[in-house]
Amino acid sequence: MAGLRLGPLLRYVDWDTGARATVWVEADRPCTAEVRCADGARGSAHTFQIHGHHYAMVLVTGLTPGTDTTYEVLLDGHRVWPLAESSLPPSVIRMPDVPSGGVAVSFGSCRWAAAPYGEHDPVGPDALDTLAAKLAAEPAAVRPDVLILLGDQVYADETSKATRRWLAARRDLDEPPGAQVADYEEYTRLYYESWLEPKVRWLLSTVPSCMIFDDHDVIDDWNTSAAWLAEMRETPWWRERILSGLMSYWVYQQLGNLSPEELRTDELYAAVRGTPDGTDRLRRFASEADADPACVRWSYRRDFGRTRLLMVDTRAARVLDEQERAMLDEEEALWLRDEALDEPASYDHLLIGTSLPWLLPPLVHDAEGWNAAMCRGERGARWARFGEKLRRAADLEHWAAFPSSFDRLTRLIAQVGGGQDAPATVCVLSGDVHHAYIAEPKWLEDAEPPRARVLQLTCSPVHNSIPKSIRLGFRFGWSRAGRRLGRVFARHARAPRPPVSWRKSGGPWFGNHLMTLTLRGRSASLRLDQARATGSRQSPGARLVTVDDRELTADRDAPRGGG
């Protein structure tokens, strides 16, 4: 009898019709996966195979807008979810009230798997696990409509003690890549460790999720420079690592980002499902994506009523030539522009999901721009060599390290936020930097400022840590003295003045967080919740504490387009 190995994960919920959703599962053998809802909606799909693992993406149809319905999962007709021994509430598919409903999105990045129950957690309570516990204990509590996970869902290069023991039982950790993951099977272990914790598993089964990778999903500093990539390709283990990382990302994360229409027309998905073993076909795809990143688009668009999310790949889509360095290749940049400008009157809020912040502490921004200039030879070969070493040591690889891309994104945001059809807000959602903050740009005097309120919203980590020295560095980076020091870097780099200045309007906050945006009509509010430990070391607990709660816009204008 088939068993459920991982999942279910509720992924796509249709905000256009309010009648469809997708549910992802992993089984332990080939079978037919079926989702049955209490209101009669259902769907089924046969599993496909990758490296001996069996997966299904089930399209559920017949759902009713504006309703909640519980569901169960069956494999070959036998119920496997909810788990028989579970005390957690039933999993629910909540359908939006199309087209009038607003949306609440909770987001964050950088999540180590939570420590096993009863063990001391050196980085503090997991914000995602704490949210799950709160919602499970209080079924009537307000829950997010969508989880947006902005990268580092797994850490391929920083494994837990339990995973290191598991790795040591299957290979010699004295051989590279040591205690990092090496292949697809080892990647599956990371996803089990991260998503099998009972409360997190339940949360992912009942709140839809959108995901994008960042560097640790593959390796720290992934694609930081052409020199870095050339060195990695010389190692004996890198090729298997990058192919396995891209393959597992496609299976465990990317498939669920796609709409039913995108799944139906996706040639790779059809090919993998159309053969008894899709491993070779998926491996060929990953090899092509590694050799020519422009042949694949990991970025995607989701519309939640009158809120548009553009989730942007800021890792695989880079141009690494030092003289033409860009965060996004030309096709990717044009895709972002076209999607942002597509029928602007059809949305009230634009969310740009990018794992890496657009607006950093000013000192950090100027240091990254200076480093980029050094690395491209602005001050000669010796400075270029020093700049490359510093780039890797200090992780100088955000939007500021790609000055032309920073300027291009800034111009796009100004264009989207201006004019008669401007949305109420344009919010750049980011993580990566292991603290949370809110920043607001100010356009230069000769530029017309956008009508929309523009914000950089950064929330990281969900469950990780940051050394005290780096905390102090970030605080200094926001200070007046830090800003002045940054201009010294900019002058040495001969860097032009950026098209915007910006200030911090909230934070920095340090700890494990989730940030929630609530968007109704043209109003927007923000809440930042921090997970804090309760109880004792022998009986640990956690609760969410709201550390910031603010209105971003008031609903003074009537919604456009009948929303």
Side-chain angles (χ1 to χ4, degrees):
M1 185 171 67
L4 185 65
R5 180 168 282 178
L6 186 61
L9 273 72
L10 177 61
R11 295 302 313 270
Y12 183 95
V13 168
D14 190 345
W15 284 70
D16 292 327
T17 67
R20 302 179 301 173
T22 61
V23 176
W24 179 99
V25 298
E26 180 180 350
D28 63 5
R29 66 193 66 189
C31 62
T32 296
E34 183 181 4
V35 174
R36 293 181 187 173
C37 299
D39 66 356
R42 62 177 57 202
S44 65
H46 194 72
T47 57
F48 60 90
Q49 181 178 189
I50 303 294
H51 272 297
H53 293 255
H54 306 278
Y55 310 95
M57 180 64 75
V58 180
L59 173 62
V60 182
T61 59
L63 294 157
T64 304
T67 65
D68 294 2
T69 182
T70 60
Y71 73 91
E72 58 185 13
V73 176
L74 298 88
L75 299 180
D76 284 343
H78 297 281
R79 195 182 87 160
V80 294
W81 185 268
L83 300 177
E85 68 278 10
S86 176
S87 60
L88 294 166
S91 297
V92 170
I93 300 177
R94 173 173 292 175
M95 299 308 297
D97 186 8
V98 178
S100 60
V103 62
V105 300
S106 292
F107 65 94
S109 78
C110 307
R111 179 177 178 265
W112 279 342
Y117 181 75
E119 288 190 14
H120 173 64
D121 195 329
V123 301
D126 179 349
L128 198 65
D129 183 72
T130 307
L131 173 64
K134 173 182 171 65
L135 296 180
E138 305 172 24
V142 176
R143 68 177 57 181
D145 297 300
V146 184
L147 287 171
I148 299 176
L149 303 178
L150 290 163
D152 297 345
Q153 276 69 261
V154 295
Y155 279 72
D157 54 344
E158 298 179 26
T159 54
S160 68
K161 291 180 180 178
T163 293
R164 290 195 293 272
R165 289 193 296 269
W166 181 84
L167 293 173
R170 72 188 306 261
R171 60 179 172 84
D172 183 358
L173 298 191
D174 290 331
E175 297 295 326
Q180 301 183 28
V181 301
D183 57 27
Y184 188 92
E185 184 65 29
E186 293 177 7
Y187 262 104
T188 68
R189 164 76 186 193
L190 298 184
Y191 284 102
Y192 298 160
E193 186 175 49
S194 188
W195 291 352
L196 275 177
E197 194 284 326
K199 292 187 292 295
V200 169
R201 188 179 190 182
W202 170 81
L203 180 70
L204 294 175
S205 77
T206 204
V207 178
S209 54
C210 302
M211 306 181 190
I212 194 71
F213 46 45
D214 198 19
D215 56 343
H216 290 283
D217 291 274
V218 176
I219 193 171
D220 189 26
D221 297 338
W222 178 29
N223 282 346
T224 194
S225 68
W228 177 93
L229 183 58
E231 289 180 18
M232 295 304 296
R233 285 176 170 169
E234 289 296 316
T235 66
W237 54 271
W238 172 249
R239 179 169 173 78
E240 188 60 39
R241 169 71 153 273
I242 185 62
L243 298 190
S244 297
L246 294 175
M247 291 170 70
S248 61
Y249 175 80
W250 184 85
V251 170
Y252 286 87
Q253 299 191 50
Q254 180 68 1
L255 273 181
N257 295 329
L258 305 181
S259 70
E261 287 76 19
E262 289 167 329
L263 288 170
R264 180 173 53 82
T265 59
D266 190 282
E267 294 181 1
L268 175 61
Y269 183 54
V272 166
R273 295 180 68 203
T275 182
D277 187 344
T279 303
D280 289 345
R281 179 64 184 88
L282 184 57
R283 187 176 179 85
R284 186 163 72 250
F285 162 83
S287 180
E288 293 167 356
D290 176 48
D292 180 15
C295 75
V296 177
R297 174 163 297 124
W298 301 104
S299 302
Y300 59 95
R301 166 178 158 179
R302 294 283 296 272
D303 290 324
F304 308 114
R306 295 188 60 80
T307 296
R308 179 171 300 173
L309 168 67
L310 301 178
M311 195 76 98
V312 184
D313 160 25
T314 54
R315 282 291 168 185
R318 294 178 174 185
V319 177
L320 299 180
D321 185 302
E322 291 296 345
Q323 304 308 314
E324 300 178 7
R325 196 167 157 83
M327 182 68 85
L328 310 177
D329 64 45
E330 185 62 22
E331 288 191 17
E332 197 79 8
L334 290 175
W335 174 88
L336 177 60
R337 181 183 185 278
D338 290 346
E339 296 296 336
L341 297 175
D342 181 36
E343 298 183 7
S346 68
Y347 63 86
D348 292 315
H349 304 276
L350 176 64
L351 310 179
I352 301 175
T354 160
S355 61
L356 304 175
W358 165 51
L359 302 179
L360 290 162
L363 171 57
V364 180
H365 175 94
D366 287 333
E368 294 202 1
W370 167 84
N371 179 260
M374 297 304 101
C375 289
R376 68 172 176 265
E378 188 70 28
R379 292 286 184 177
R382 188 171 64 175
W383 276 105
R385 290 191 295 272
F386 172 73
E388 177 64 24
K389 291 178 181 178
L390 184 62
R391 171 193 278 164
R392 301 188 200 183
D395 291 341
L396 304 179
E397 51 166 349
H398 301 83
W399 284 90
F402 300 80
S404 63
S405 297
F406 176 91
D407 292 352
R408 190 170 184 173
L409 178 60
T410 302
R411 291 194 299 269
L412 175 61
I413 289 172
Q415 183 177 0
V416 170
Q420 287 300 113
D421 291 329
T425 64
V426 178
C427 297
V428 180
L429 313 184
S430 305
D432 180 71
V433 291
H434 289 211
H435 69 293
Y437 63 87
I438 302 165
E440 296 192 57
K442 180 180 179 181
W443 266 255
L444 302 182
E445 290 78 3
D446 59 348
E448 182 178 352
R451 297 177 67 225
R453 187 170 186 187
V454 178
L455 296 145
Q456 168 70 65
L457 304 176
T458 304
C459 184
S460 167
V462 172
H463 185 233
N464 209 311
S465 63
I466 183 170
K468 185 176 181 179
S469 59
I470 297 181
R471 291 191 188 200
L472 294 174
F474 278 125
R475 289 189 186 277
F476 180 70
W478 286 111
S479 69
R480 288 183 179 180
R483 191 181 295 267
R484 289 195 295 269
L485 178 58
R487 298 316 301 160
V488 173
F489 279 110
R491 287 192 293 272
H492 183 256
R494 305 186 180 113
R497 188 179 179 186
V500 290
S501 62
W502 57 94
R503 64 179 180 87
K504 172 178 61 67
S505 58
W509 295 282
F510 297 96
N512 295 324
H513 301 98
L514 283 170
M515 193 174 280
T516 299
L517 270 176
T518 301
L519 308 167
R520 309 276 184 222
R522 290 179 66 79
S523 71
S525 61
L526 178 147
R527 189 183 74 250
L528 179 67
D529 293 320
Q530 184 180 91
R532 293 185 180 171
T534 62
S536 64
R537 186 158 183 164
Q538 291 71 32
S539 181
R543 63 189 179 98
L544 289 177
V545 175
T546 299
V547 296
D548 193 68
D549 195 348
R550 64 179 69 189
E551 295 293 323
L552 301 178
T553 63
D555 197 358
R556 292 184 292 267
D557 301 323
R560 301 160 297 157

